[in-house]
Amino acid sequence: MSNIFNSSAYNEARKRAEDLLKKMTLAEKTGQLSQFGTSIYSDDEQTFSDHFAEGKVGSYLTIKGASHTNSIQRDLLKATRLPIPAFFADDVIHGYRTTFPTPLAQSCSWNPEVTRKTCEISAKEAYRAGIKWTFSPMVDIARDPRWGRIMEGYGEDTYLCSRFSEAAVKGYQGDGEKMEKDHIYACMKHYIAYGACIGGRDYNTSDLSLQTLHDVYLPPFKAGIDAGAATVMASFQDVNGVPSTGNKYLLTDVLRGQLGFNGFVVSDAGGVVELIPHGFAEDLKDAVRLAFDAGCDMIMAGDPYNDFLPKLIEEGKITTEQLDRAVLSVLTLKFLCGLMDEPLVDEEGEDCFFCDEHMTAARTAAEECAVLLENNGILPLTPENYKGKRVALVGSLAGYDGKVHLLGGWSCLSDHNHTVSIEEGLRKALSDCEIVYSRGCGITAADNDNITIAEAVKASAECDVIIAVVGEEAGMSGEANSRSDLTLTGNQHELIESLIATGKPVVLLVASGRPLVLTPYKDKVAAMMLIWQMGSAVGDAVANILAGTVSPSGHLTTSMPVCTGQVPIYYNHTNTGRPALGRWPFESKYRDCQIAPLYPFGYGMSYTTFSFENITVSDNKMAKDGKLTITLTVRNTGNFGGASVVQLYVRDLVGSCVRPVKELKGFEKVFLKSGECKSVTLTLSASDMAFHNFNMEKVIEAGKCKLWISQSSDDEAFEFDFEII
Ligand code: NOJ
């Protein structure tokens, strides 16, 4: 795949970087590897101007706005001996100012183009504010929804996450070989297996087999690297006993050696210092030695590299070659994006924030992310059917609170005044109905909940249909927001039960950063839809779906648990010798809960129906360097326009290492008008069947396999046997 690293522009930038490197002092070199800044959550920006004269500042995080980045850049360039501009970096996670659905929500679109587009717009807005580098995408596989950071990634599946990983990198950096204006560098994080933290507790140890590491957690990084990802962030936690930040095998042998990464690695905030409490480094100097020697090129945040690298070089513990490689990498990327030639940004360029084009993109992205879980036919609430009817809208997230919380985690750069609330969206889309709004209750318990719930019930009982919005506040997922209980918080359960008790049909909208336990409501509500945290245009997107202007087309990218005790739960597990077939007591199961999830990976309803017709597979044998071509016709057999997601799953029946019961290996989203059909072709390459065996050799083994063309991971309507020869 062509990318910024295999281009003549890169070679030219590299040459200029080499020339510059020759002129640099040791302090200036370590300065290029030092990033400064404060927390994204803080407005207390510090400029570290006392560091400028010695060239000790290479990069900043969290400086906001074009005029501010420009003024710091000007001061820095004036004060330093060699005028090397600083890289301004930030956590542009799902939008800079205009906010898009969370990455987890975006993955439910099963349309990587959605993510390419949202990242492209995010890059443009960030660029206009002086940012040249984002700490995104997060391509950590997450199999445990207790982990709050599940909202920042693309779900539980390696193949799907890989496709979104490359889309995000291309969106941020552009598709060309040069970094054009309005594009910023991507940073894939958190390398590696951060999502495998035990118990879903953030920052906790990951202890996993090397096979799982290589087959499940690394491929999304490889996909982003092939797409040209410029940087990678080391994760906080230890992997099998060695913290990622100081893990030479992972940062050098695997990342650079096996995956072919050519950019630079930045630590996470405080990741180097934390090697001490991990019990891996004796003191700060030792931590710097271990991290830098492992391949962690830049430190976020602060002076430890400035303070200790020169001494470590003097002592021969770090070599000049190691230092120069890291500095060259940073400088080359500064040249490549034009920063060295144009260090300042046009201060008039910020006028695109929340512009119509970006808000429309936020709405259309959001419209593809909602996952309809249940519908007894009540949805959509078409104007023809609901004209003149009374619609109760209940829940704090449907009103003003939702303007803030439905932006989701990592939206501190946004502005909730631009969020379209669900109430606002619905009043527009269902203008022929009477919308009766009541708060019901908040997300966390409050003293007056019994009063406000009673008010909501009274108002709702006089309406024809109830739309209830429940879920999480923005701050309940994301970093350091692990939960031990995935049921609804506060008095939301009581609210829903009381609304159901009115006997009026309840449409339950669940807005959260993570999959929650929805078991009590599944069979009692008229419809249930996950709307995640959809960003600035949430109200319009939700209203368009409810009113039937748009048919929901999202599918789950995480298994939805029946109860918290079921997690970690993921569809691509192995079989065990005693699978739960219900034949005898001694099976791998729970006494008190089924092992199947409430809703499986890949599941999602539409207002229409689809049929997969004339499915053909090119052969029932596949050579180890061969491929199979699968063709089919997808037909919209219902009365609404909509989108179907064709999913290709495989199972290698017998292996020298046991293989998952199902693995996604291809998908395509197909948009069809009512009655329309389209042909779809998917390809399965033998290399898609490769895995690491017990000796850590990557192998494709001969033998019997199955494939399924499905509408969900539990759909086995079309099954095909084939053999690898
Ligand atoms: C810590 C987080 O783990 C990381 O994802 C983020 O990019 C940095 N802080 C900077 O805010």
Side-chain angles (χ1 to χ4, degrees):
M1 203 188 281
S2 79
N3 64 46
I4 54 166
F5 288 100
N6 41 40
S7 65
S8 55
Y10 180 82
N11 295 339
E12 205 180 294
R14 177 103 186 157
K15 176 85 204 29
R16 292 179 71 188
E18 281 165 0
D19 291 343
L20 178 57
L21 186 79
K22 289 183 196 137
K23 302 180 195 151
M24 293 171 73
T25 64
L26 195 50
E28 285 163 349
K29 288 181 184 177
T30 61
Q32 287 306 303
L33 307 178
S34 301
Q35 183 176 74
F36 292 85
T38 36
S39 161
I40 185 169
Y41 302 108
S42 160
D43 284 330
D44 172 30
E45 289 172 353
Q46 295 171 44
T47 59
F48 301 88
S49 48
D50 57 333
H51 284 43
F52 290 172
E54 290 172 275
K56 281 182 165 181
V57 176
S59 176
Y60 281 102
L61 74 155
T62 69
I63 304 291
K64 300 174 191 81
S67 71
H68 200 187
T69 53
N70 277 350
S71 107
I72 295 174
Q73 197 78 284
R74 269 192 218 101
D75 292 349
L76 179 139
L77 293 173
K78 216 185 297 157
T80 48
R81 188 184 72 89
L82 285 176
I84 305 176
F87 252 146
F88 287 95
D90 217 329
D91 286 290
V92 183
I93 307 295
H94 50 116
Y96 184 70
R97 298 277 284 154
T98 310
T99 305
F100 300 98
T102 59
L104 179 63
Q106 290 187 35
S107 70
C108 291
S109 70
W110 286 64
N111 184 359
E113 180 55 21
V114 163
T115 289
R116 197 202 57 74
K117 183 80 190 160
T118 64
C119 292
E120 185 179 81
I121 293 175
S122 309
K124 178 175 171 181
E125 291 194 1
Y127 184 97
R128 300 298 178 94
I131 301 299
K132 290 284 189 288
W133 175 24
T134 174
F135 303 128
S136 171
M138 185 189 100
V139 297
D140 296 317
I141 297 297
R143 293 171 154 185
D144 190 333
R146 288 174 297 180
W147 189 50
R149 303 199 78 169
I150 195 170
M151 54 112 353
E152 295 174 54
Y154 303 111
E156 73 187 33
D157 184 69
T158 302
Y159 179 84
L160 186 115
C161 183
S162 300
R163 301 291 74 79
F164 277 82
S165 168
E166 60 202 16
V169 171
K170 292 284 185 194
Y172 287 129
Q173 297 189 175
D175 214 355
E177 298 186 348
K178 260 179 94 181
M179 288 291 294
E180 304 288 354
K181 178 176 181 284
D182 285 342
H183 286 93
I184 61 178
Y185 289 120
C187 179
M188 289 199 297
K189 67 190 190 185
H190 303 82
Y191 186 83
I192 181 87
Y194 184 39
C197 48
I198 294 173
R201 180 157 55 82
D202 208 6
Y203 316 120
N204 199 12
T205 294
S206 303
D207 197 339
L208 71 172
S209 72
L210 284 183
Q211 289 107 304
T212 301
L213 184 76
H214 282 261
D215 290 340
V216 176
Y217 289 86
L218 282 168
F221 283 86
K222 173 68 178 150
I225 288 167
D226 290 347
T231 71
V232 162
M233 186 185 294
S235 57
F236 284 120
Q237 92 296 2
D238 76 275
V239 181
N240 300 345
V242 180
S244 300
T245 314
N247 196 321
K248 196 164 189 167
Y249 165 74
L250 291 174
L251 290 182
T252 298
D253 301 354
V254 176
L255 184 64
R256 294 184 183 281
Q258 293 177 22
L259 305 190
F261 177 63
N262 264 324
F264 67 85
V265 174
V266 63
S267 77
D268 203 337
V272 175
V273 180
E274 288 168 23
L275 294 180
I276 305 169
H278 267 295
F280 189 68
E282 277 176 18
D283 51 26
L284 197 48
K285 183 177 168 195
D286 198 30
V288 169
R289 176 184 67 78
L290 285 160
F292 192 75
D293 185 49
C296 180
D297 302 309
M298 182 184 280
I299 183 165
M300 179 202 301
D303 269 322
Y305 276 18
N306 281 329
D307 290 346
F308 295 105
L309 275 180
K311 186 104 185 89
L312 288 162
I313 286 174
E314 221 173 79
E315 291 169 2
K317 291 183 177 144
I318 296 290
T319 65
T320 310
E321 290 70 46
Q322 282 177 296
L323 181 71
D324 286 356
R325 186 200 55 71
V327 180
L328 254 184
S329 185
V330 173
L331 292 178
T332 304
L333 291 180
K334 286 189 175 179
F335 276 110
L336 185 65
C337 71
L339 181 66
M340 301 296 287
D341 301 316
E342 264 182 70
L344 302 181
V345 63
D346 175 7
E347 292 184 19
E348 305 297 307
E350 291 175 320
D351 54 358
C352 63
F353 301 161
F354 303 108
C355 66
D356 287 350
E357 185 197 337
H358 295 187
M359 285 298 281
T360 302
R363 174 180 56 75
T364 52
E367 285 168 352
E368 283 201 51
C369 299
V371 185
L372 183 64
L373 300 173
E374 299 288 339
N375 186 13
N376 68 0
I378 191 166
L379 293 182
L381 308 174
T382 54
E384 304 86 75
N385 293 340
Y386 276 84
K387 196 169 179 194
K389 298 265 169 74
R390 303 191 79 206
V391 177
L393 178 64
V394 184
S396 59
L397 292 176
Y400 179 80
D401 290 3
K403 284 185 174 248
V404 178
H405 295 300
L406 299 187
L407 291 176
W410 292 106
S411 55
C412 14
L413 296 164
S414 189
D415 178 354
H416 69 266
N417 292 311
H418 289 267
T419 313
V420 182
S421 73
I422 294 179
E423 184 187 356
E424 289 162 349
L426 221 52
R427 286 195 190 282
K428 267 185 276 169
L430 298 181
S431 55
D432 287 342
C433 301
E434 187 190 344
I435 310 280
V436 181
Y437 174 70
S438 40
R439 192 168 183 277
C441 66
I443 305 305
T444 50
D447 287 345
N448 64 347
D449 276 353
N450 54 348
I451 300 169
T452 53
I453 289 176
E455 283 166 3
V457 170
K458 186 164 180 291
S460 300
E462 289 157 14
C463 290
D464 299 292
V465 57
I466 304 169
I467 300 169
V469 187
V470 296
E472 290 186 313
E473 293 178 352
M476 289 169 73
S477 61
E479 188 177 353
N481 283 297
S482 299
R483 290 181 60 189
S484 65
D485 178 357
L486 298 173
T487 56
L488 289 171
T489 51
N491 289 307
Q492 297 185 90
H493 175 72
E494 287 69 27
L495 172 67
I496 300 170
E497 292 290 348
S498 316
L499 293 174
I500 291 170
T502 62
K504 301 287 173 167
V506 175
V507 174
L508 191 64
L509 303 181
V510 184
S512 58
R514 52 156 68 77
L516 295 173
V517 168
L518 302 175
T519 313
Y521 321 113
K522 181 176 185 294
D523 299 324
K524 293 190 195 161
V525 293
M528 182 155 73
M529 184 159 71
L530 299 182
I531 60 167
W532 306 111
Q533 291 157 335
M534 285 186 166
S536 303
V538 53
D540 285 333
V542 168
N544 285 348
I545 294 172
L546 292 177
T549 326
V550 174
S551 183
S553 64
H555 287 248
L556 294 172
T557 56
T558 51
S559 308
M560 295 288 294
V562 169
C563 59
T564 312
Q566 260 191 338
V567 305
I569 182 167
Y570 46 95
Y571 83 98
N572 47 1
H573 57 84
T574 52
N575 204 32
T576 82
R578 295 183 175 202
L581 300 172
R583 291 191 184 149
W584 69 319
F586 300 97
E587 294 181 340
S588 179
K589 60 171 176 35
Y590 298 105
R591 283 185 75 89
D592 52 357
C593 174
Q594 65 192 54
I595 67 155
L598 191 66
Y599 299 101
F601 175 87
Y603 172 80
M605 296 170 77
S606 169
Y607 293 156
T608 187
T609 48
F610 301 96
S611 69
F612 291 180
E613 300 168 4
N614 303 325
I615 307 178
T616 61
V617 185
S618 56
D619 205 341
N620 60 4
K621 302 240 182 303
M622 176 163 66
K624 284 189 182 174
D625 58 354
K627 60 178 193 204
L628 298 178
T629 305
I630 299 111
T631 56
L632 66 148
T633 300
V634 183
R635 187 180 306 278
N636 182 340
T637 48
N639 297 328
F640 289 88
S644 166
V645 177
V646 183
Q647 304 169 32
L648 163 63
Y649 294 93
V650 298
R651 178 170 180 186
D652 181 348
L653 293 179
V654 180
S656 63
C657 277
V658 295
R659 310 299 307 132
V661 293
K662 237 168 229 182
E663 286 180 285
L664 184 75
K665 293 296 177 186
F667 62 89
E668 190 165 324
K669 189 166 192 179
V670 193
F671 292 83
L672 296 166
K673 297 194 191 98
S674 170
E676 198 188 0
C677 65
K678 270 187 196 156
S679 63
V680 171
T681 303
L682 297 171
T683 306
L684 177 71
S685 299
S687 57
D688 293 329
M689 305 298 291
F691 64 91
H692 285 83
N693 67 14
F694 201 72
N695 300 323
M696 284 305 292
E697 297 145 346
K698 196 166 184 185
V699 292
I700 302 169
E701 293 183 342
K704 291 184 175 155
C705 304
K706 276 189 189 297
L707 70 79
W708 294 268
I709 297 295
S710 317
Q711 309 207 32
S712 160
S713 64
D714 69 345
D715 163 19
E716 301 196 338
F718 179 83
E719 182 176 289
F720 182 83
D721 294 315
F722 69 100
E723 193 173 345
I724 301 176
I725 50 169

